[in-house]
Amino acid sequence: ESAEHGHAEAQYSLGWCRRRGRGVVRDVEEALRWYRISAEQGHAEAQYDLGMCYEHGDVVEQDEAEAVRWYRMSAEQGHAEAQYDLGMSFANGDGVEKDEAEALRWWRMSA
C-alpha cells in the first residue's frame, strides 16, 4: 500500500521482492517498473539496481550509457557500489569515454 502512495523505499522493496519472487509472484517486468518509479524519486539503491539491469541486459535491452546515467545518480548520493561501478565504466570506456582519472576519482570515493 505504501508503494502505491509514492513511498520510494516501499516501491524499491516491492521491486526487489518482485524480481526475486520473495513473498509475491516473481515478475521481473513489474520489478523493473517499481525500480524505475523509486529511482525517479531519487532512491539511490533503486537507481543502482536499475543501472545494473541496463549494464547486464537484465529485463531490459543492454544499454551501457543508460547504466552509467543511473549509476551516476546513485553515486552522487554516496552509494559506494555505484561509485565503484561508475569508476569501472570510466576505466573500461563502457557507456562513457574512457577516462582513467575519472575512474580513479570514483574509486576513491567508493573506498
Side-chain angles (χ1 to χ4, degrees), residues 20-79:
R20 290 159 181 81
R22 300 276 169 92
V24 293
V25 174
R26 186 171 189 270
D27 184 338
V28 291
E29 289 181 11
E30 186 70 4
L32 184 69
R33 183 176 84 82
W34 284 112
Y35 279 167
R36 185 175 306 282
I37 290 169
S38 180
E40 287 172 352
Q41 291 188 70
H43 191 279
E45 190 70 26
Q47 291 167 339
Y48 175 70
D49 282 4
L50 200 50
M52 289 199 37
C53 288
Y54 279 104
E55 180 182 4
H56 301 290
D58 184 16
V59 187
V60 295
E61 187 173 328
Q62 186 176 20
D63 183 337
E64 291 173 341
E66 189 69 4
V68 166
R69 185 173 86 84
W70 289 109
Y71 283 157
R72 185 184 303 272
M73 282 189 250
S74 182
E76 287 173 349
Q77 294 186 68
H79 191 284

Side-chain angles (χ1 to χ4, degrees), residues 78-94:
H79 191 284
E81 291 169 293
Q83 291 167 337
Y84 177 81
D85 286 348
L86 186 56
M88 290 300 295
S89 295
F90 277 106
N92 297 321
D94 296 334

